[in-house]
Amino acid sequence: MSGLLQDIRYALRQLVKNPGFTAVAIIALALGIGSTTSIFSVVDQVLLHPLPYPDSDRIVAVSQTFQGVQTGDASPANYLDWAAQNHVFSEIAASRGWQGSMTAGDRPERVKGTMATPSFFPLFGVNPILGRTLGAGDAVPGSDHVVVLGYGLWQRDFASDHAIVGRDIQLNGEKYAVVGVMPPNFSPDEYGELWVPSPWVVPTHPLVPDQDPRQFRDRSYLDVWARVKRGVTFQQARAELDTIGSRLEKQYPSSDQGVGIAFIPLHEYVVGDIRPMLLVLLAAVVVVLLIACANLANLLLARATVRSREISIRTTMGASRQRLLRQLLTESVLLALMGGLLGIGLAVVAVPSLLALSPPDIHQFKEIGINREVLAFSFLVSVICGIIFGLIPALQASRSNPNQFLKQGERGSTAGRSRTRSALVIAEVGLSLVLLVGAGLLVKSFSRLMNVNPGFDPDHLLTFNLGLPPTTEPDRQTAFYKQVEQGLQALPGVQAVGAVSRLPLAGGNSGRSFNTPGDSNSYSADIRISTPDYFRAMGIPLLRGRIFADSDRYSKVNLAIVNDAFVHSIFPGQDPIGKQLTNYGPNAITLEIIGVVGNVRHVGLDAAPHAEIYQLIGQASWPSMFFAIRSATSDPTALTSAAQKVVWGINKDVPLANTRTMQDLIANSVQRRKFSMLLLTIFAATAMLLAAIGLYGVMSYSVAQRTKEIGVRMALGARRPDVLALVVRRGMTLVGIGIAAGIVLSLALARLIAGLLFGITATDPLTFIGVATLLGLVAFIANYLPARRAASVDPMVALRYE
């Protein structure tokens, strides 16, 4: 122990004596370790930690499949059959998103909740922090007006009141008794502000909330969750569900033909979409760390050369090779730990900013931070970096011939170290190019995505959501939305106002099945309920026919407008105006097409437009509507206060919800891609900077070693440009080899990033050429500075150089 303490004290003295060397080494390592720690803190919580539910690895998300493709939802009748007939689940539960207006103070607020079966809470196994959860007695008519609050809502709207249990709150104008409050880590679905029961046990259909849903077999809207029994494998569970699915298909051929059952583990359900992105970012920071460590190795090699006389003297005086190795490794590990400590400090500062930029998929993990596991990871990385990348310089220094160095001084034979340093620079350049290629591809992909025409004009558009109680009669819904539309249209600065059941890029979708006359095939399309002026407000072009008129809601014929994608898929090469759609929706009505509008990218800018059918509000109803206001001013949010006053003037219990500009919606829809692009670009820029520093260090060292040679050349008549070319040529040769290796490696790894791209391939030649040129220019500058210094050497001074 005393020997180790002596080594540490000696190492500290050496590092203090060389502040420039120490600072550069620590900063380079801090950048690498800080980046790695920041990303690992996210990966650790999102991918490596189990979800905060007991035995969460046995919880699965179950859904129907149609012709082998998982739909993500289930019908109530099928869910009840699964629950009754399976022997592989200890618990099975169903839920659906539920939105309503809550009045807890002076003003109403739109909240996102979940309507769930009583088995929902026992399945996830999380106890409330106050009161109780939903029970079987709550899922009956007359006892169903109870609510469990989410932790965030309890904090925000009820000031963490511990006496909240037993109090009544207003939901959709009706009293609900608070029976419990859940802890902050309970968020199994995307809603989670509160939970309510259904009077029929199974959650009701949002469009017909007053009907018993238990017989609905062709209406799929439920999220289904299950806990696999202990001792039952997933393979056994899937086999039994296949049997149940086949049985139901034979028993109910009209609704379940081609319908099966499938499930995925809950963790995969939650993180499946973001796993590839996080793994790519983790790989990127590991590359940055490798480059930082290569810089450390280069610095230590240069340092070892400078200390050759010291090491030779210590060897001559009896120091063993093992003793020298221990001392040199102590210095490198100490240096790495200092870099790691600073890196952790950088990560502590960076993680909040990282989370602020991150997409909503990551926000739901509320425990992300620098915890014990992350600290242990950073410490381990620091030690490994210090040992592995300090070992090569230590081995080379400890096996040097002391007699040779004592005869030749500090200019002893350094060919081996020079080759090692050159190899490290080549590796740095190659790895930097890999990151630059990845960043370049993401930047170009994001640029292509943002240039996609969404099918509407997003400028000067304010959007928000309004909802009446789901039991409101359709005629009253239509009258209310018509009044709101007229009131908003009368506001100063408003050019157009429209409303629709599903707003593009706002999340959520709805579909209907139908037939066409004389065709036995069944088709499906996305369904939208809109006001007549919705298309003008959104800037969606009319391609053929006409749009709705206010008087159309009194028509005895059910009218429809379809989009261009619908025409191409259902009536290719035909004029769709006047054509009919039969057996449309659950009531099997007939629609007549009166117009064709342009395609809208509803799901995302990167998703192809789906076939869409628009119906007129009044001929069809929807419990909540999204309004779009086109403003004459550049800031449409200035209309928010006036819009709320208009709504409250009609119904004081209806709040504006999800108030955003359409530009904000577009930005939110591409947030995941933007997050990946920004981080990979930052990591690539860091890698390029580190590689340039490493190259500059190697060339500066080379120039210092060749000072006498350069002086001789200049004394014999070599011109300044000749010396410049000599030095730059050697450096750019290393760069050229590194770029070539990086291109080969990038091509080999292209498939890893392909899933994050849009509109380009992972082998896009222009991107490869562009980033190689950029890296070459930066490397040239890093070469040119030492070369210029070499060309300025005074021959007489160089000839006297020892």
Side-chain angles (χ1 to χ4, degrees):
M1 178 62 77
S2 61
L4 178 60
L5 291 175
Q6 183 181 357
D7 287 342
I8 292 173
R9 284 194 294 268
Y10 183 78
L12 285 171
R13 285 198 301 270
Q14 290 295 317
L15 295 177
V16 170
K17 282 173 60 179
N18 298 274
F21 161 83
T22 303
V24 172
I26 289 175
I27 291 173
L29 275 173
L31 288 173
I33 294 174
S35 301
T36 307
T37 301
S38 299
I39 295 298
F40 181 76
S41 68
V42 178
V43 171
D44 172 63
Q45 192 63 42
V46 176
L47 299 186
L48 303 182
H49 268 61
L51 296 173
Y53 313 117
D55 294 326
S56 63
D57 58 323
R58 305 201 67 79
I59 302 176
V60 296
V62 191
S63 77
Q64 295 177 181
T65 63
F66 183 70
Q67 296 180 348
V69 179
Q70 199 158 352
T71 63
D73 53 24
S75 68
N78 280 342
Y79 158 74
L80 290 172
D81 283 333
W82 300 349
Q85 297 180 29
N86 90 86
H87 301 90
V88 293
F89 298 142
S90 59
E91 296 280 357
I92 184 168
S95 65
R96 73 162 174 89
W98 183 92
Q99 292 196 34
S101 297
M102 183 186 75
T103 304
D106 296 334
R107 294 184 175 183
E109 174 188 358
R110 191 77 171 164
V111 292
K112 294 195 304 181
T114 300
M115 181 178 286
T117 59
S119 54
F120 184 83
F121 293 95
L123 187 151
F124 287 99
V126 176
N127 295 320
I129 58 173
L130 293 176
R132 63 175 179 85
T133 58
L134 303 179
D138 300 319
V140 293
S143 300
D144 58 317
H145 275 37
V146 297
V147 60
V148 176
L149 301 180
Y151 188 85
L153 183 67
W154 175 60
Q155 274 194 322
R156 184 180 74 241
D157 286 25
F158 301 99
S160 303
D161 183 4
H162 283 73
I164 189 67
V165 174
R167 279 178 48 187
D168 288 338
I169 63 173
Q170 291 283 327
L171 291 174
N172 290 330
E174 299 181 5
K175 287 183 179 181
Y176 278 72
V178 177
V179 296
V181 178
M182 296 305 291
N185 64 346
F186 186 73
S187 182
D189 56 23
E190 60 185 281
Y191 310 108
E193 288 192 294
L194 54 82
W195 294 266
V196 296
S198 164
W200 288 284
V201 181
V202 182
T204 58
H205 192 288
L207 297 183
V208 283
D210 54 345
Q211 293 184 22
D212 184 346
R214 289 173 289 187
Q215 301 304 314
F216 294 163
R217 197 171 294 276
D218 56 356
R219 300 184 184 187
S220 300
Y221 59 92
L222 295 180
D223 298 321
V224 177
W225 321 90
R227 180 180 287 275
V228 179
K229 289 180 179 178
R230 292 181 179 275
V232 176
T233 67
F234 280 9
Q235 185 177 2
Q236 291 171 327
R238 288 191 173 99
E240 178 165 298
L241 293 183
D242 288 342
T243 301
I244 295 173
S246 298
R247 185 186 305 142
L248 295 178
E249 186 176 15
K250 293 175 183 177
Q251 191 172 356
Y252 305 101
S254 61
S255 59
D256 280 17
Q257 185 66 40
V259 174
I261 315 170
F263 67 79
I264 60 173
L266 182 63
H267 193 270
E268 183 180 343
Y269 175 84
V270 173
V271 307
D273 289 342
I274 55 176
R275 179 184 284 111
M277 173 190 72
L278 290 179
L279 292 180
V280 166
L281 292 177
L282 183 62
V285 293
V286 169
V287 170
V288 173
L289 180 61
L290 288 173
I291 294 172
C293 290
N295 259 345
L296 173 62
N298 256 330
L299 287 169
L300 291 173
L301 281 168
R303 179 91 177 119
T305 302
V306 173
R307 296 175 65 184
S308 296
R309 181 182 291 274
E310 171 207 335
I311 293 170
S312 298
I313 292 173
R314 293 182 67 184
T315 303
T316 304
M317 295 179 65
S320 66
R321 188 182 183 198
Q322 289 76 14
R323 184 69 181 81
L324 290 173
L325 269 174
R326 192 178 76 183
Q327 176 61 55
L328 294 172
L329 282 176
T330 299
E331 292 182 23
S332 65
V333 170
L334 188 61
L335 201 58
L337 288 174
M338 290 178 177
L341 188 61
L342 180 58
I344 291 172
L346 292 176
V348 169
V349 174
V351 166
S353 300
L354 184 69
L355 295 179
L357 291 171
S358 65
D361 317 62
I362 292 176
H363 288 171
Q364 63 183 303
F365 294 90
K366 300 177 177 61
E367 306 299 323
I368 293 175
I370 309 300
N371 55 28
R372 287 179 298 179
E373 290 89 348
V374 175
L375 286 174
F377 169 82
S378 299
F379 175 78
L380 184 62
V381 167
S382 301
V383 172
I384 290 174
C385 289
I387 293 174
I388 293 180
F389 290 91
L391 192 59
I392 296 174
L395 285 172
Q396 290 200 6
S398 65
R399 71 184 178 202
S400 301
N401 185 342
N403 295 323
Q404 183 182 33
F405 278 103
L406 289 174
K407 291 176 182 177
Q408 297 180 359
E410 293 182 2
R411 300 189 314 273
S413 175
T414 59
R417 291 172 194 169
S418 179
R419 285 193 297 271
T420 303
R421 299 192 72 194
S422 296
L424 289 171
V425 166
I426 291 171
E428 289 183 54
V429 171
L431 292 173
S432 297
L433 185 77
V434 171
L435 288 188
L436 286 169
V437 165
L441 288 171
L442 287 182
V443 168
K444 191 170 183 179
S445 170
F446 190 76
S447 175
R448 292 274 178 92
L449 185 65
M450 295 309 294
N451 286 324
V452 167
N453 179 10
F456 55 86
D457 180 5
D459 294 331
H460 310 296
L461 269 182
L462 177 69
T463 70
F464 54 83
N465 179 239
L466 295 180
L468 291 171
T471 54
T472 305
E473 295 176 357
D475 288 345
R476 292 182 59 194
Q477 290 181 13
T478 301
F480 170 75
Y481 293 128
K482 181 64 178 176
Q483 282 183 280
V484 170
E485 187 179 43
Q486 291 174 339
L488 294 174
Q489 186 66 66
L491 293 175
V494 172
Q495 294 180 330
V497 179
V500 71
S501 57
R502 295 291 190 182
L503 189 70
L505 307 178
N509 206 354
S510 300
R512 293 285 186 274
S513 61
F514 60 91
N515 299 109
T516 58
D519 187 348
S520 60
N521 292 323
S522 179
Y523 301 96
S524 65
D526 294 344
I527 172 64
R528 315 278 179 250
I529 313 299
S530 77
T531 60
D533 221 21
Y534 169 72
F535 304 100
R536 186 167 75 91
M538 288 289 289
I540 300 173
L542 176 68
L543 304 181
R544 205 175 306 169
R546 68 177 180 88
I547 61 172
F548 298 123
D550 281 328
S551 59
D552 286 336
R553 64 188 174 124
Y554 303 111
S555 172
K556 294 182 179 179
V557 178
N558 292 299
L559 306 178
I561 294 173
V562 298
N563 68 346
D564 199 37
F566 182 99
V567 176
H568 282 289
S569 61
I570 309 299
F571 300 117
Q574 303 177 51
D575 183 1
I577 304 301
K579 290 191 178 295
Q580 293 185 333
L581 310 177
T582 59
N583 298 318
Y584 175 80
N587 296 323
I589 64 173
T590 297
L591 300 179
E592 182 179 308
I593 299 173
I594 63 168
V596 179
V597 295
N599 294 328
V600 169
R601 299 206 175 225
H602 181 87
V603 177
L605 296 181
D606 56 351
H610 296 179
E612 291 182 335
I613 298 173
Y614 294 87
Q615 286 183 271
L616 176 63
I617 190 169
Q619 286 200 324
S621 62
W622 205 264
S624 65
M625 298 288 281
F626 286 92
F627 275 78
I629 304 177
R630 184 163 294 280
S631 169
T633 63
S634 59
D635 181 17
T637 58
L639 293 168
T640 302
S641 178
Q644 180 65 87
K645 288 179 181 178
V646 167
V647 174
W648 280 343
I650 300 168
N651 189 326
K652 62 181 178 60
D653 294 324
V654 178
L656 267 63
N658 304 313
T659 305
R660 293 167 291 188
T661 67
M662 186 54 72
Q663 292 287 12
D664 288 338
L665 277 172
I666 290 177
N668 290 340
S669 73
V670 299
Q671 192 172 8
R672 186 187 301 170
R673 290 182 181 272
K674 186 177 181 180
F675 178 72
S676 304
M677 178 197 69
L678 285 176
L679 288 190
L680 196 56
T681 301
I682 291 171
F683 297 150
T686 303
M688 184 171 65
L689 175 63
L690 290 172
I693 291 172
L695 180 62
Y696 174 83
V698 167
M699 297 314 298
S700 295
Y701 172 77
S702 176
V703 166
Q705 291 295 308
R706 299 174 67 183
T707 301
K708 184 174 181 179
E709 173 200 337
I710 292 170
V712 171
R713 287 176 180 269
M714 297 186 74
L716 293 175
R719 295 174 302 135
R720 189 169 183 266
D722 296 330
V723 175
L724 271 173
L726 175 70
V727 178
V728 169
R729 188 183 306 116
R730 179 174 182 273
M732 292 308 291
T733 298
L734 299 179
V735 172
I737 296 171
I739 288 177
I743 289 175
V744 172
L745 188 58
S746 297
L747 289 170
L749 298 176
R751 68 181 186 280
L752 297 180
I753 200 174
L756 302 178
L757 302 179
F758 173 82
I760 61 170
T761 66
T763 56
D764 180 60
L766 292 180
T767 301
F768 275 72
I769 293 171
V771 298
T773 302
L774 173 64
L775 183 56
L777 287 174
V778 172
F780 177 80
I781 294 172
N783 270 301
Y784 177 76
L785 296 176
R788 187 178 65 173
R789 187 167 65 248
S792 303
V793 168
D794 185 336
M796 297 308 296
V797 172
L799 291 173
R800 291 196 300 269
Y801 176 77
E802 183 181 15

